[in-house]
Amino acid sequence: MRSHFCTDLSEANVGDNVILCGWANSYRDHGGIVFIDLRDKSGLIQLVCDPADNAHAHKLASEVRDEFVLIAHGRVRNRGEGLVNPRLKTGAIEVVVEELIIENRSEPVPFGIGDNSVGEEIRLKYRYLDLRNPSMYNTFMLRSKAAIAARNVLDRLGFLEVETPILTKSTPEGARDYLVPSRVHEGEFYALPQSPQLFKQLLMVGGFDRYFQIAKCFRDEDLRADRQPEFTQIDVEMSFCNQEDVIRVAEELITGMFAAAGHEVHTPFNRIKYNDAMEWYGSDKPDLRYDLKMIDVIDIFARCDNEIFTSIAANPKMNRIKALRVPGADLVFSKREMKSFEDYVRKFGAKGLGYFQMKEDGLKGPLEKFFAPEDLQLLVERTGMEVGDVVFFGAGDKKTVWDYMGRFRIFIAEHEKMNLIDQDRFEFVWVVDFPMFEIEDGRVKALHHPFTMPRDLNHEHLEDIESIAYDIVLNGTELGGGSIRIHKQALQEQIFTLLGIGEEEAQEKFGFLLDALKFGAPPHGGFAIGFDRFMMLLSKKESIRDVIAFPKTQKASCIMTQAPSPVELTQLRELHIRLRESVK
């Protein structure tokens, strides 16, 4: 139907007869000559409809309005002197229309294509119009190239693409399952997979050696800017490997995907131990595009004359006192602003936020009177303070201090007066040596999942046991991660025992995996990358919804299709479901 896309044409095509198809991006009537900017996936070109060239085409052109679907036959010519539009790729040429077909008309659109001032709700309601925005097309073209690159890299490395079930068994994996009622098996339910974790392990037992899948996953959890109820993972598993083997594959995959998007990424990526990440940055997904490393000063505060600080410092195993040096902060923040920062950290459990300012004549601040001169000097030396700097202090129990000081670090870096983040930089880091277990309300839980291989179980305290697990972080966002898996039945049963999962419960929830481990399961491990998050960062979008063609809102609904929605009672009866009346 078409001979060219709009931006395929250039001055080299002057004199050529062409057929173009697309939408009317805009139209203008200048003294009887109608100009139409025609838009297709490639961009814009100007059509000229002059009654002197073709009266019928000109008559039709006068009827054209925004978003009409057009087919134009015409001849390419140079624009007149002084009429070149440098903002368009085709700004030096135009097409004189000899035949115009209005293939389809459009009602007035609810917003202009490409108008980013329109609220997200209206854009999601008319998502098919929002997708006409050339920047949206470019985003999904980038996503397609990254997916193709991922497949090519993994194929070259000997991985086999295998699809795993969407209707599966409900297993505890950290988030709520989406459940699907069975018509055939009354009162029983399938679950949509939160990940292909168990199936990819079974593929390793099946001897497939190297598996991958660009897999749909589903989690019924509270949503944020980087979460969706249905999302895409690049899932990878391999046999007879160790952590280094897995990380090498992951880095090659990531660099290949970035190369497809026109970015060069250098390997090996930095690495940081989980405990160091928490002690230095208060997060297991630290943003390393800027420094602002937290410094331990609990020993110095233990000697001060403030009873609050000395009581906290008396238990250095459970508590922390952290210093955060902010270079130049005293030159840009007033005392009133620095005091207001306390309101920010209180939202995350802080009792307060102390600070010192480095002046020409030494440290100054509300806490100065509680410290001996030699301890103030030690604070200066340990934090590396210089004139104009401010050092902020957080004190309390370990996890709370990690959390609010880590958040405060990000808050300061993003503050408009500091602007410490290089938005064009991609900074990867592997976080390794995670704890195997965490204890919440006296209950032992697996930090990742119960199939993660522990390094060594011979520790007095469960919290000291490390797992062979690793997360890949980009610019403060967790892209994904993985682990070496448990492949021996006896060890798996031992882990279940530590987690308080009895033999009967283990068999009920994971019996098919435990049975498989009896039949010569190979050593194996893998990783998964959140493809949507990956694309959000790669394309520098603010929300994961901008890189998903038809996303859900933060309430997990689709405004366009109005899903979820009620269904007919006959459908519910077939599924053996009766709705309980809600109590008003």
Side-chain angles (χ1 to χ4, degrees):
M1 185 176 285
R2 61 161 61 94
S3 64
H4 300 77
F5 287 104
C6 292
T7 62
D8 288 346
L9 300 175
S10 67
E11 289 180 279
N13 298 102
V14 169
D16 291 353
N17 291 313
V18 297
I19 305 173
L20 303 177
C21 306
W23 286 265
N25 194 68
S26 64
Y27 61 93
R28 305 172 299 283
D29 191 334
H30 290 179
I33 300 177
V34 176
F35 296 89
I36 299 170
D37 284 342
L38 187 71
R39 185 190 72 246
D40 64 16
K41 70 165 190 172
S42 69
L44 302 176
I45 195 168
Q46 180 170 277
L47 306 182
V48 182
C49 298
D50 189 332
D53 295 313
N54 189 297
H56 180 66
H58 175 265
K59 181 178 182 299
L60 282 176
S62 65
E63 301 175 17
V64 168
R65 296 296 180 266
D66 288 353
E67 299 309 304
F68 277 28
V69 181
L70 306 177
I71 301 173
H73 297 243
R75 178 175 44 82
V76 181
R77 75 179 182 190
N78 283 312
R79 291 199 186 191
E81 186 176 348
L83 298 178
V84 171
N85 184 349
R87 292 174 297 177
L88 289 183
K89 184 178 179 181
T90 57
I93 59 173
E94 57 193 11
V95 174
V96 179
V97 177
E98 297 170 351
E99 180 184 356
L100 185 67
I101 300 171
I102 297 178
E103 182 64 31
N104 215 344
R105 296 171 184 264
S106 172
E107 293 184 3
V109 291
F111 56 88
I113 304 302
D115 183 358
N116 294 323
S117 67
V118 178
E120 186 181 49
E121 186 170 334
I122 193 74
R123 289 172 54 209
L124 289 177
K125 182 177 181 180
Y126 298 97
R127 185 64 165 181
Y128 42 83
L129 295 179
D130 194 32
L131 291 172
R132 291 184 188 176
N133 184 343
S135 71
M136 292 289 282
Y137 180 84
N138 290 335
T139 296
F140 286 97
M141 180 172 64
L142 192 70
R143 182 179 174 121
S144 176
K145 287 183 176 180
I148 291 169
R151 284 189 163 95
N152 288 340
V153 169
L154 292 169
D155 178 65
R156 176 169 51 80
L157 294 175
F159 286 82
L160 190 67
E161 184 170 12
V162 183
E163 294 179 353
T164 55
I166 293 297
L167 295 176
T168 183
K169 180 181 175 63
S170 179
T171 58
E173 293 191 47
R176 296 182 191 90
D177 285 325
Y178 278 102
L179 299 177
V180 180
S182 170
R183 179 183 58 83
V184 178
H185 303 280
E186 182 176 350
E188 297 184 348
F189 296 81
Y190 300 102
L192 303 182
Q194 295 186 32
S195 78
Q197 178 63 48
L198 299 181
F199 287 107
K200 64 186 183 182
Q201 288 191 249
L202 292 172
L203 286 169
M204 296 302 100
V205 178
F208 275 45
D209 195 73
R210 291 192 164 200
Y211 143 95
F212 85 94
Q213 182 181 190
I214 300 182
K216 273 288 185 185
C217 304
F218 307 85
R219 294 180 186 175
D220 185 6
E221 58 186 352
D222 296 331
L223 304 183
R224 300 194 297 254
D226 62 349
R227 282 184 180 174
Q228 280 279 288
E230 52 180 319
F231 57 96
T232 305
Q233 279 186 183
I234 302 178
D235 230 64
V236 180
E237 196 80 3
M238 51 197 291
S239 294
F240 301 105
C241 64
N242 56 32
Q243 176 175 290
E244 296 305 313
D245 297 325
V246 177
I247 285 177
R248 275 194 298 271
V249 169
E251 290 185 352
E252 191 162 348
L253 172 64
I254 290 169
T255 54
M257 293 167 71
F258 264 75
H263 297 281
E264 185 177 4
V265 175
H266 298 286
T267 58
F269 299 154
N270 289 327
R271 296 191 196 183
I272 185 172
K273 291 178 177 290
Y274 168 85
N275 195 63
D276 289 339
M278 300 305 297
E279 294 286 1
W280 295 343
Y281 305 109
S283 172
D284 60 0
K285 46 182 184 294
D287 189 341
L288 300 187
R289 289 175 293 175
Y290 52 93
D291 190 11
L292 297 186
K293 184 184 290 186
M294 295 191 301
I295 301 163
D296 203 345
V297 292
I298 196 168
D299 58 320
I300 301 175
F301 275 69
R303 298 191 293 271
C304 76
D305 295 330
N306 184 298
E307 187 176 343
I308 295 174
F309 289 126
T310 54
S311 62
I312 292 172
N315 190 352
K317 180 173 178 60
M318 301 302 297
N319 297 331
R320 292 293 184 271
I321 301 180
K322 291 290 186 179
L324 186 73
R325 172 193 166 228
V326 183
D330 195 37
L331 305 177
V332 296
F333 294 124
S334 66
K335 284 187 178 180
R336 183 176 180 179
E337 285 177 304
M338 287 190 281
K339 184 66 177 173
S340 74
F341 294 159
E342 191 171 299
D343 296 331
Y344 175 79
V345 296
R346 282 185 185 278
K347 293 187 293 185
F348 307 106
K351 297 291 192 291
L353 185 70
Y355 66 88
F356 281 121
Q357 299 154 280
M358 188 64 176
K359 304 290 188 181
E360 292 284 355
D361 56 345
L363 285 184
K364 304 295 179 185
L367 301 177
E368 178 188 0
K369 60 186 177 183
F370 298 114
F371 291 84
E374 56 271 24
D375 283 333
L376 291 176
Q377 181 57 35
L378 183 55
L379 277 172
V380 171
E381 292 173 1
R382 186 171 296 181
T383 59
M385 289 187 74
E386 298 178 356
V387 174
D389 295 351
V390 176
V391 63
F392 295 91
F393 299 97
D397 72 271
K398 178 174 66 176
K399 288 188 176 180
T400 302
V401 170
W402 280 350
D403 182 50
Y404 76 75
M405 288 299 284
R407 293 175 185 269
F408 181 62
R409 172 182 179 265
I410 299 170
F411 171 82
I412 286 292
E414 292 178 342
H415 198 287
E416 60 183 0
K417 288 188 175 181
M418 297 301 297
N419 195 26
L420 298 180
I421 304 176
D422 181 354
Q423 300 294 342
D424 293 324
R425 181 176 169 189
F426 294 108
E427 190 63 48
F428 290 91
V429 61
W430 285 103
V431 180
V432 299
D433 299 342
F434 279 83
M436 180 72 185
F437 304 104
E438 59 181 345
I439 300 177
E440 289 186 359
D441 301 323
R443 183 184 172 194
V444 180
K445 298 173 60 179
L447 186 66
H448 276 83
H449 55 66
F451 316 110
T452 304
M453 178 74 76
R455 284 199 184 279
D456 184 0
L457 288 178
N458 295 318
H459 285 273
E460 183 179 352
H461 301 288
L462 288 179
E463 301 100 310
D464 295 331
I465 297 173
E466 290 182 350
S467 63
I468 309 179
Y470 32 85
D471 280 356
I472 182 64
V473 177
L474 172 58
N475 294 353
T477 296
E478 179 193 330
L479 282 185
S483 65
I484 300 300
R485 325 299 186 188
I486 296 170
H487 64 283
K488 296 184 178 180
Q489 184 189 15
L491 179 57
Q492 186 65 75
E493 290 174 348
Q494 188 178 356
I495 295 300
F496 281 152
T497 299
L498 291 173
L499 292 171
I501 300 174
E503 183 177 346
E504 184 176 338
E505 182 184 359
Q507 192 64 35
E508 179 186 347
K509 293 179 177 177
F510 310 109
F512 57 96
L513 176 63
L514 296 177
D515 289 343
L517 295 181
K518 300 175 184 177
F519 296 101
H524 60 281
F527 65 93
I529 290 175
F531 189 40
D532 308 300
R533 286 186 184 180
F534 184 97
M535 293 310 306
M536 179 183 72
L537 294 170
L538 183 59
S539 56
K540 295 184 169 59
K541 299 296 183 182
E542 295 295 322
S543 168
I544 201 171
R545 294 186 290 277
D546 292 331
V547 298
I548 297 174
F550 298 100
K552 304 291 191 294
T553 67
Q554 285 193 317
K555 293 184 178 179
S557 64
C558 175
I559 299 174
M560 183 181 67
T561 63
Q562 299 185 345
S565 61
V567 298
E568 297 290 336
L569 286 176
T570 53
Q571 292 176 274
L572 294 178
R573 291 193 191 103
E574 288 177 344
L575 295 170
H576 319 289
I577 291 176
R578 182 172 61 191
L579 297 180
R580 186 175 62 185
E581 291 186 14
S582 61
V583 180
K584 298 289 185 181

